[in-house]
Amino acid sequence: MAVARQDQFNSMDYSDPMVNRILDAAEQCIHRFGIRRTALGEVARVGKLSRGSIYRYFDDKAALVQGVFWRRQEFYLNQTEAALVKLPTLVDKVTHSVVSGRKDMAQGIFASLAETEPETVAMMFLESKFYQRSVSFWPPHVRLAQEAGEISEAVDVAVATDFIMRLAVSLVTFPDMGLSLKSRKGIRAYLDQVITRGLG
Amino acid sequence: MAVARQDQFNSMDYSDPMVNRILDAAEQCIHRFGIRRTALGEVARVGKLSRGSIYRYFDDKAALVQGVFWRRQEFYLNQTEAALVKLPTLVDKVTHSVVSGRKDMAQGIFASLAETEPETVAMMFLESKFYQRSVSFWPPHVRLAQEAGEISEAVDVAVATDFIMRLAVSLVTFPDMGLSLKSRKGIRAYLDQVITRGLG
DNA sequence: AAATGTACAAAAAATGATTATTGTTCATTG
DNA sequence: CAATGAACAATAATCATTTTTTGTACATTT
């Protein structure tokens, strides 16, 4: 079993420089060639390390690829979270998440992989596992909004979190579902309606 | 240009028996072999017609495949719509759409294609075009709910339709987004909360 | 007229031989 | 002891070749 084993409960050690060197090289290769066309020998060459070391830290190529995307997602999530804490309302927070979520998906490794291997990206986006980490960021924001009286205390935090995640994922994935929601202003007005008032 | 040409405005003529014979054969082949492994010669053999006739009605293989899925979606949609008109509230209607939507996607051609060519199904599900036809069914139900006082008249019909579609698509695609929403009862309670009351 | 069936070149897929990569092991290095 | 690099069988990718399929045209049949 590899050292940097990662599962849903035990996340990777991003403080280990070796792990980061491997992931840096792997991300660079995936970014340039796509997943299918990156050989671990190439990753080793780019990272100036041995292929044996890669296998010491990751079970196999699939685990390495997953590690690359998890770290990248973690980075985006932390960046977004840092912006969220400065925003006053839950609606502002979800709006920001949607706008920056779209930006993140249109950049870097996600965007380049969407060009070379769109089916792979599509499969990732349809795995609910992909959103697990994001889900865990919302409950504190929901509770703050409840304490501030923005949303009702009667609503279960898990229900509110699920609802917010569904809205955010849907709006990032589909800019248009009948309505075209492209501008920050339009997204904010829409979210204000459906989150704070619903349709009732 | 083929006879049964189909675009977003001009839908296919499902009353033409030739069109249906071709689509029946094509659906049967796709169901059994997947898209990649169905040759139009095989479709012709199964449908007991000539390959020339297929090209008379469909521009190319891609158009035929699209035709198969559009007809199947149209069938499911009409079936669902027939059930919806009997339901009293908008919440009941969305609940039913989610439950039957999940059933439809777990059956027949969608389910079999998801086994043999999951990436193709994933790509379909992420095209917002895939949901266009479904979107057009909702505005009358939204207006009825407004007239009945279930939801506010102040909310724009397009906004409400978009919101309902996003909820339905999300719930069909992801049974679990933090909350596990599997039972009809659970789905209904959730939708009742977020549609009629929101989080406010 | 509509459907068929044949012919045909271009494109795509199956095939099989060849080469590269993966995943494992272990002796060697720093 | 972590990292390296080499050896190795098993697996997967690549490539040139053969075969099938596609898409078009048109003469023939119903």
Side-chain angles (χ1 to χ4, degrees):
Chain A
M1 193 45 130
V3 172
R5 68 172 167 286
Q6 35 181 320
D7 53 54
Q8 34 190 156
F9 303 108
N10 189 6
S11 122
M12 218 176 341
D13 181 11
Y14 298 122
S15 65
D16 187 328
M18 203 63 182
V19 167
N20 277 299
R21 233 170 97 207
I22 296 170
L23 290 176
D24 285 344
E27 180 162 350
Q28 204 180 312
C29 289
I30 294 172
H31 188 272
R32 287 205 299 222
F33 314 123
I35 294 170
R36 227 184 354 239
R37 290 178 197 285
T38 63
L40 296 199
E42 179 67 15
V43 173
R45 209 171 308 133
V46 169
K48 283 166 184 158
L49 40 85
S50 71
R51 217 164 55 85
S53 294
I54 297 176
Y55 279 102
R56 187 175 155 68
Y57 286 89
F58 297 91
D59 283 343
D60 51 26
K61 184 177 173 179
L64 173 61
V65 170
Q66 192 173 64
V68 167
F69 283 99
W70 283 10
R71 188 184 64 157
R72 176 52 53 183
Q73 194 185 32
E74 198 69 22
F75 174 81
Y76 285 144
L77 248 30
N78 287 328
Q79 204 175 250
T80 300
E81 173 68 11
L84 291 200
V85 296
K86 295 177 190 159
L87 296 173
T89 69
L90 187 62
V91 170
D92 285 310
K93 290 173 180 178
V94 182
T95 303
H96 185 274
S97 299
V98 171
V99 172
S100 59
R102 285 186 188 173
K103 217 174 288 170
D104 295 340
M105 292 305 106
Q107 267 174 9
I109 199 170
F110 286 102
S112 64
L113 198 64
E115 297 238 330
T116 53
E117 295 166 50
E119 324 77 20
T120 307
V121 176
M123 291 292 284
M124 284 178 56
F125 284 3
L126 288 181
E127 300 254 358
S128 62
K129 200 187 193 179
F130 184 76
Y131 306 101
Q132 270 185 2
R133 192 76 190 93
S134 308
V135 168
S136 69
F137 277 78
W138 284 106
H141 298 290
V142 169
R143 284 192 205 95
L144 278 171
Q146 286 179 323
E147 286 158 21
E150 184 187 355
I151 64 172
S152 165
E153 305 245 29
V155 182
D156 187 66
V157 173
V159 170
T161 295
D162 179 289
F163 177 56
I164 283 164
M165 274 300 298
R166 287 183 189 279
L167 279 173
V169 168
S170 177
L171 286 165
V172 169
T173 312
F174 306 110
D176 188 332
M177 187 64 88
L179 258 192
S180 181
L181 290 166
K182 285 177 191 163
S183 71
R184 175 171 222 119
K185 215 178 117 189
I187 294 165
R188 217 212 97 102
Y190 176 91
L191 287 171
D192 188 43
Q193 172 67 248
V194 301
I195 291 176
T196 66
R197 293 189 291 280
L199 303 178
Chain B
M1 191 45 123
V3 172
R5 70 169 167 288
Q6 32 180 321
D7 53 52
Q8 36 189 153
F9 303 108
N10 189 7
S11 120
M12 219 179 338
D13 182 12
Y14 298 120
S15 63
D16 187 328
M18 201 64 182
V19 167
N20 277 298
R21 231 170 96 207
I22 296 170
L23 290 176
D24 285 343
E27 182 163 348
Q28 204 180 309
C29 290
I30 293 172
H31 188 272
R32 287 205 299 218
F33 314 124
I35 293 171
R36 227 180 357 233
R37 290 178 197 284
T38 63
L40 296 199
E42 180 66 14
V43 174
R45 209 172 308 132
V46 169
K48 282 166 185 158
L49 41 85
S50 70
R51 218 164 56 86
S53 294
I54 297 176
Y55 279 103
R56 187 174 156 69
Y57 286 90
F58 297 91
D59 283 343
D60 52 24
K61 185 177 171 178
L64 173 61
V65 170
Q66 192 172 65
V68 166
F69 283 99
W70 283 10
R71 187 183 65 156
R72 175 54 50 186
Q73 193 183 34
E74 199 68 23
F75 174 81
Y76 285 144
L77 247 30
N78 287 329
Q79 205 176 250
T80 300
E81 173 67 13
L84 291 199
V85 296
K86 294 175 190 160
L87 295 173
T89 70
L90 187 62
V91 170
D92 285 310
K93 289 173 180 178
V94 182
T95 302
H96 184 274
S97 299
V98 171
V99 172
S100 61
R102 284 185 188 173
K103 217 174 289 171
D104 295 340
M105 291 305 107
Q107 267 173 11
I109 199 170
F110 285 102
S112 63
L113 198 64
E115 298 238 329
T116 54
E117 295 167 50
E119 324 77 21
T120 307
V121 175
M123 291 293 283
M124 284 180 55
F125 284 3
L126 287 182
E127 300 254 358
S128 63
K129 199 187 194 180
F130 183 76
Y131 306 101
Q132 271 185 2
R133 191 77 188 91
S134 308
V135 169
S136 69
F137 277 77
W138 284 106
H141 297 292
V142 169
R143 283 191 206 95
L144 278 170
Q146 287 179 322
E147 285 158 20
E150 184 187 355
I151 64 172
S152 164
E153 304 245 28
V155 181
D156 188 65
V157 174
V159 170
T161 295
D162 180 288
F163 177 56
I164 284 164
M165 274 299 299
R166 287 183 189 278
L167 279 173
V169 168
S170 177
L171 286 165
V172 169
T173 311
F174 305 109
D176 188 332
M177 186 64 89
L179 256 193
S180 182
L181 290 165
K182 285 178 190 163
S183 71
R184 174 171 223 119
K185 215 179 116 188
I187 295 166
R188 217 212 97 102
Y190 177 90
L191 287 171
D192 187 43
Q193 171 70 248
V194 300
I195 291 177
T196 66
R197 294 189 290 282
L199 303 179

